[in-house]
Amino acid sequence: MDDVYDVAVIGGGVVGCSVLFELTNHGYKCVLLEKSPHLLTGASCGNSGMLHTGFDAEPDSLELRCIQLCQRRIADVFQKLGLPYNRLGARMVAWDEKQKALLPRVVERSLHAGISDIEEISISRLYQEEPYLNSGACAALWIPGETILDPWMTPIAFAHHSKLKGAKILTDCRVRGLERSYTNQWEILTDKQTVISGAVINCAGLYGDIVDRLVNQQSFSIQPRKGQYLVYNRNTQHLLTSSILPVPTERTKGVIVFKTVYGNVVVGPTAEDVDQRDGMRTIIDPAVTRRLISHAHSTIPLLKTHSVVHMYSGIRPATRQKDYQIKAYPERNWITVGGIRSTGVSACLGIAEITRKHLLEGLKQEPSGTPVSELEQLQFEYSSPGLMKVFDTEYTITHPITLCGLSRPPASL
Ligand SMILES: Cc1cc2nc3c(=O)[nH]c(=O)nc-3n(C[C@H](O)[C@H](O)[C@H](O)COP(=O)(O)OP(=O)(O)OC[C@H]3O[C@@H](n4cnc5c(N)ncnc54)[C@H](O)[C@@H]3O)c2cc1C
């Protein structure tokens, strides 16, 4: 008989890795099942790597609640695990009177979200602080809490730390079917082996609805939304001191000009509804590229003198609903953590905390082990192109931000 676990987490994206970290730290015996050969190959390897404060999140949403919970803890976790991050702040710039008229609503919404340090700044201060910004700005907001992080290293650290504390991580391990045993446990049929677990947490991201369907559940369906980016060399980093945000619309946060924790200036993401969950990520649309280049040049004109060194894209696990789809099914010991479309990094520890509460209070599933008393500092070593060692385990880097930051840009996506 294979090992028996308290909890099986399906999916090794940022959400699955964060849930694994939270539950392992609280004494649950966990296994993570990932269908790909490496962790972070879905939505989580094509994002912006920004830790948003939630200033523009939907008021009273579960998404905002998760972001707020994450904000309370994440800086401490970054420091304890030894992860890079930078609280650079962001400047939201209105380029015409119509956009300017929308700024008071952004401030109002952010106050409602409990973010009180957002402020309108004068145009002279804007240009003093962002001297390379194009002329013509009408108004701007300063949002000091917006932070950049390494979007690959962070979830990898969560996964590796969990492994150090006893969790099992199985890659190349697609979940193909699930059955309830006569002892009321889940028998999870995978590519590799059958796994037995008390509870199951579906963190399958872009495939969340499909994994739910394996147990005849269907409360949402994924509507993939693509976002494309341009990456500039690290020698552009002096052109920005913060992330330059557009005024958001109902549908999207818009295209951001930002720099990564490694100093590459990045422009993106776009937002296009697409009909495929996987293949679309590697297709770079030339028309979208032209739009991004024009956005880059009209925001920071000096970017015209630099070349784009890489392009990448990611697919958001969006749904028809705006909010996250986190649902507990106590009668079958199942939790679905789905539809985490555009803030999964910013909310990761909050999503994990809420999931743990569902597990304990809704499913009444107690941990079989003892909680982890202290987080351990991890040692990352960039061992060879495309690979990173954490102590003696080698991980394949799947996120272009980390790849471009640590080495020459990847030849292909
Ligand atoms: C363009 C773009 C920009 C973004 N920018 C930001 C940002 O700046 N800040 C922020 O906070 N968020 C951002 N996001 C959102 C964030 O990336 C997502 O919310 C997050 O990646 C969702 O993670 P996930 O773990 O739910 O999904 P995924 O990353 O898709 O992970 C799900 C995993 O489940 C696995 N899986 C699927 N089916 C099975 C199965 N049957 N068996 C086993 N494994 C399975 C998949 O292989 C995958 O690894 C952005 C997203 C995109 C696309």
Side-chain angles (χ1 to χ4, degrees), residues 93-102 136-139 247:
V93 180
W95 297 98
D96 59 34
E97 291 300 322
K98 215 167 128 192
Q99 290 177 3
K100 182 177 174 180
L102 295 172
C138 277
V247 179

Side-chain angles (χ1 to χ4, degrees), residues 10-17 33-36 38-52 173-176 203-208 211 214 225-229 256 269-270 313-317 324 337-347:
I10 304 177
V14 64
V15 172
C17 293
L33 309 169
E34 167 54 49
K35 70 175 172 152
S36 304
H38 311 292
L39 296 175
L40 306 164
T41 57
S44 305
C45 70
N47 56 35
S48 316
M50 300 187 79
L51 191 72
H52 298 297
C173 192
R174 181 194 299 265
V175 171
R176 297 197 169 274
C203 302
L206 287 163
Y207 292 82
V211 168
L214 293 176
R225 187 172 300 154
K226 183 173 171 178
Q228 197 174 306
Y229 295 88
I256 307 172
T270 52
S313 63
I315 313 281
R316 303 170 183 87
Y324 292 173
V337 186
I340 314 292
R341 53 181 188 138
S342 55
T343 46
V345 179
S346 314

Side-chain angles (χ1 to χ4, degrees), residues 337-404:
V337 186
I340 314 292
R341 53 181 188 138
S342 55
T343 46
V345 179
S346 314
C348 60
L349 294 181
I351 295 169
E353 192 174 328
I354 286 197
T355 304
R356 180 176 58 81
K357 287 202 172 132
H358 278 309
L359 188 66
L360 197 60
E361 292 160 18
L363 275 60
K364 311 262 183 265
Q365 174 97 17
E366 300 274 351
S368 61
T370 46
V372 168
S373 53
E374 288 281 340
L375 295 185
E376 273 181 45
Q377 184 95 22
L378 301 178
Q379 270 167 25
F380 288 89
E381 188 197 334
Y382 184 58
S383 42
S384 47
L387 296 174
M388 178 90 81
K389 254 187 173 176
V390 191
F391 299 122
D392 55 359
T393 309
E394 209 155 44
Y395 292 93
T396 295
I397 303 172
T398 56
H399 202 302
I401 285 186
T402 316
L403 282 167
C404 293

